[in-house]
Amino acid sequence: MFDASVFPITAKWPAQHPDRLQLYSLPTPNGVKASIMLEETGLPYEVHKVDFATNDQLSPAYLSLNPNNKIPSIIDPNGPDGKPLALFESGAILIYLAEKTGRFLPLDAAGRYHAIQWVMFQMGGIGPMFGQLGFFHKFAGREYEDKRPRDRYAGESKRLLGVLETQLGKHAWIAGDEYTIADIATFPWVNNLVGFYDAADVVGFQDFPRVQAALEAFRARPAVAAGLTIPG
């Protein structure tokens, strides 16, 4: 049996079920990518809350798994070649879980890379831009007298939504007619933008009806509804 104690993080977050995949996360847009994917695939897993309020992410235990002190991170006791695998970065985790299960990533090479390019689009564009808009619209940045930073990120967020709107005019989902990890990567951020960040008016979300419809279809999936609340 896998010995979880070989990973220092388990001293702070003991594994009650060491035979299951261990998830260290919070229900943020990046965090729920992993929980939604795990719910979608049905892989057995155990979740551990990394509480930012108490700086869990800066603890030596967590940094031993993820030196970048972000969430999510995982330990899979049944990784490649039957050996345990520790992994961080939400995009990498999505790709890994898709390849592990053979789900939500096309099996043909062209389709696979087509989906992965849209995951990278989210990682390099939508996540950083929507996150900065959230800071300048909802958090400390909203007190800044100079509104040019907010407007800069609002404009770029609108542009990115426009890219999604065009793509969703061609297909039911972002990478094609099948639901993939590109959708699991992207729609938690869209959901957060118009929900938690309350920035729908700022980006003119009403002007993107295809994005709205796809977001509703995403939310309607049972695995998404569950994953959005994990860890509770």
Side-chain angles (χ1 to χ4, degrees), residues 53-220:
T54 55
N55 289 323
D56 278 349
Q57 77 279 16
L58 300 177
S59 66
Y62 190 73
L63 292 172
S64 71
L65 183 63
N66 185 345
N68 195 35
N69 67 270
K70 304 294 182 183
I71 54 93
S73 300
I74 64 170
I75 299 173
D76 184 359
N78 300 299
D81 300 319
K83 299 177 181 178
L85 175 71
L87 202 60
F88 63 88
E89 280 296 330
S90 58
I93 290 170
L94 286 179
I95 294 169
Y96 170 69
L97 294 176
E99 293 185 338
K100 178 181 175 72
T101 61
R103 300 188 66 192
F104 308 114
L105 187 62
L107 297 178
D108 65 290
R112 179 177 180 274
Y113 285 113
H114 185 72
I116 289 173
Q117 78 177 350
W118 286 102
V119 174
M120 298 302 110
F121 170 79
Q122 182 279 305
M123 298 291 290
I126 282 181
M129 295 301 105
F130 286 15
Q132 291 294 337
L133 178 56
F135 173 79
F136 285 103
H137 177 63
K138 179 167 183 173
F139 298 108
R142 69 182 175 179
E143 305 300 331
Y144 294 3
E145 184 176 347
D146 186 350
K147 298 306 177 185
R148 287 176 295 179
R150 187 204 65 176
D151 294 345
R152 163 76 176 90
Y153 291 115
E156 182 63 4
S157 295
K158 289 181 183 179
R159 188 190 71 79
L160 294 167
L161 287 169
V163 174
L164 288 179
E165 183 74 9
T166 299
Q167 181 67 4
L168 290 167
K170 303 173 184 176
H171 304 285
W173 294 100
I174 293 172
D177 291 328
E178 299 296 324
Y179 176 77
T180 70
I181 58 172
D183 305 294
I184 298 172
T186 302
F187 285 113
W189 276 102
V190 179
N191 187 58
N192 206 63
L193 180 73
V194 301
F196 183 65
Y197 289 162
D198 194 24
D201 290 343
V202 176
V203 298
F205 195 60
Q206 72 281 354
D207 296 331
F208 306 101
R210 297 186 185 101
V211 178
Q212 292 180 51
L215 176 61
E216 289 307 311
F218 179 72
R219 287 170 171 165

